[in-house]
Amino acid sequence: SSDLITGGAPLSTKKVGEHLLFSLTRNHGVRTLNEIRTEAGKHMASQRIPLVAGNWKMNFDHLEATYFVQQLAWKLRDIHFDYRHCEIALMPSFTSLRSVQVLVESDNLKIHYGAQAVSVTSQGAFTGDVSADMIAHLGCSYVIVGHSERRKYHPEDDANIVDQVRAVLAAGMQPILCVGESYEERRKGIELDFAVGQVHDVTRDLSDEEASRLIVAYEPIWAIGSGMVATPQSAQDAAKAIRDDLAETFGTHVGESVRILYGGSVSSKNAEELIGEPDVDGFLIGGAALNVDELTRICQLTMNATV
Ligand code: PGA
C-alpha cells in the first residue's frame, strides 16, 4: 500500500538552508507513513533554530548601522556566541542594506539581515518603491511583511500583504509576517482568533512549500514600543494557536517547521522567560535592538535556552 514505506528506519534530518530535508537511511523495519510523519514532527520541532530579529525601524543611517553590526559581532565573539543555536538577523533601512552587506561579506560575519518592507510589483513606474529582487540581490534573507506600523501608516490590506508574501518568497527570501491584536480585541477576549485569522487569511492560498518558508511574528499591537510585554503564557497560547492552524491547513510538517516569534517590548528582562515557552521560537525586537549590549544579552539568553 502507498501508506507503507519499507526500509525507512531510522529517520534522520538534515538542514539545508531553512528547509529540513529528510533522508531515509536504508535499514530494516517497516513503518507506516503516519508513524514517520509523527516522528518527523518531533524531530523538526526540536530543530527549529530560534531567530532573534532586530527591527531597526527608521533608525540608524548607514554609518551607524555599520558601526552597530561591527560592535555586535565583536561582543558576540567575546561571549563565544554559538550561531548554530540561535540565528541573528537585523533589519536596517533600505539605505543601510548595502553597507551592512559589504561588512557582513568582507568580515565573513554570521549575522543575517533583511528589509522592513517590499513592493508587490517587480519593476516599473512606482516611485519610491523597492522590489523583492532588488532586496534579494543585496544578500537579504528576510523581509518584514505586514508590520502594524506599515498597516497603520501605509494602505496595506490583506490582499496587498498576500502579494508581498508571494513577492518575497518568489525572490528566494523568507517573509516575517507580523500579526497581532490591538488592545480593543484583547479587551473583547478575541485575541487568539484575531491573530490566527490574520495568518490564515494571508497564507491560505500558499502552497505547502511556500508556507513552510514562512516566519510568523506574533506582535500584539498594545505591546509594541509600550513597555508592556505579553505574559509568557499568552505569547505561548498565541504561538500555539497559530501553529495549530498552520498544521491544520498545510499539514503537521509545516506547522512544526514554521518559526513563530514573539514581538512587543522584548528586553533582556523578559526574553528568558518568553523563550522558555515551547512554541516561541525567537523574537522580533524594536527598541531593545537599538542597544548593542541589550541585543547581545537577548541573543545570549536565547542561545542558552537551546543548548
Ligand atoms: P518594540 O517593537 O520591541 O520596540 O516593542 C517591536 C516591533 O515593532 O517589532
Side-chain angles (χ1 to χ4, degrees):
S1 120
S2 62
D3 215 30
L4 284 175
I5 289 183
T6 52
L11 185 74
S12 65
T13 60
K14 180 166 67 157
K15 193 151 194 299
V16 177
E18 292 310 315
H19 310 288
L20 292 161
L21 299 183
F22 296 96
S23 66
L24 297 168
T25 54
R26 292 221 162 267
N27 207 330
H28 39 292
V30 177
R31 291 181 305 158
T32 67
L33 199 53
N34 275 345
E35 279 170 341
I36 289 176
R37 282 205 181 115
T38 310
E39 195 176 321
K42 282 186 208 146
H43 210 134
M44 289 171 87
S46 63
Q47 294 232 343
R48 286 196 306 268
I49 297 178
L51 171 65
V52 174
N55 172 14
W56 281 347
K57 309 191 180 183
M58 202 171 70
N59 294 289
F60 293 162
D61 65 21
H62 69 291
L63 298 172
E64 293 162 326
T66 313
Y67 181 63
F68 187 104
V69 175
Q70 206 148 38
Q71 282 214 312
L72 179 65
W74 287 335
K75 284 179 190 278
L76 291 168
R77 192 193 52 197
D78 287 349
I79 61 165
H80 305 292
F81 188 77
D82 188 342
Y83 292 86
R84 288 171 308 170
H85 296 290
C86 172
E87 189 185 340
I88 301 173
L90 296 170
M91 312 293 160
S93 303
F94 285 131
T95 51
S96 300
L97 280 175
R98 175 68 179 158
S99 306
V100 169
Q101 177 193 26
V102 168
L103 172 63
V104 165
E105 287 182 359
S106 63
D107 285 8
N108 225 344
L109 303 180
K110 296 198 180 90
I111 294 169
H112 295 144
Y113 52 91
Q116 301 171 15
V118 66
S119 169
V120 297
T121 44
S122 56
Q123 65 174 62
F126 300 98
T127 304
D129 283 352
V130 177
S131 78
D133 278 344
M134 292 171 178
I135 295 169
H137 290 164
L138 288 166
C140 289
S141 307
Y142 303 107
V143 178
I144 297 174
V145 174
H147 190 281
S148 62
E149 286 152 14
R150 300 282 313 169
R151 292 183 199 244
K152 181 170 167 196
Y153 300 122
H154 300 265
E156 291 189 355
D157 56 16
D158 273 356
N160 183 270
I161 289 171
V162 173
D163 289 343
Q164 289 181 51
V165 166
R166 285 193 184 284
V168 173
L169 289 169
M173 299 177 291
Q174 291 188 269
I176 301 180
L177 172 65
C178 299
V179 298
E181 81 284 356
S182 67
Y183 179 71
E184 195 50 29
E185 283 104 24
R186 173 150 289 247
R187 204 179 52 78
K188 290 187 195 145
I190 56 166
E191 65 273 15
L192 293 186
D193 288 346
F194 187 83
V196 170
Q198 280 182 310
V199 176
H200 194 87
D201 290 350
V202 170
T203 59
R204 65 177 161 217
D205 292 329
L206 298 180
S207 68
D208 291 6
E209 188 277 329
E210 287 174 322
S212 70
R213 287 158 58 204
L214 202 70
I215 293 173
V216 178
Y218 168 65
E219 299 205 304
I221 295 172
W222 50 267
I224 295 177
S226 65
M228 288 192 299
V229 66
T231 62
Q233 189 59 55
S234 61
Q236 164 61 20
D237 289 347
K240 173 88 168 61
I242 293 167
R243 191 179 307 292
D244 287 349
D245 188 72
L246 287 169
E248 203 170 297
T249 312
F250 301 104
T252 319
H253 58 298
V254 172
E256 288 299 330
S257 61
V258 168
R259 286 182 288 184
I260 301 179
L261 316 180
Y262 168 78
S265 297
V266 173
S267 73
S268 62
K269 296 198 172 56
N270 52 43
E272 190 172 13
E273 261 194 311
L274 287 160
I275 198 66
E277 295 296 339
D279 286 290
V280 175
D281 302 320
F283 304 113
L284 184 57
I285 307 171
L290 298 172
N291 178 315
V292 72
D293 289 318
E294 183 70 358
L295 185 59
T296 305
R297 183 81 187 120
I298 295 170
C299 292
Q300 187 178 32
L301 291 168
T302 307
M303 178 193 73
N304 289 346
T306 44
V307 289

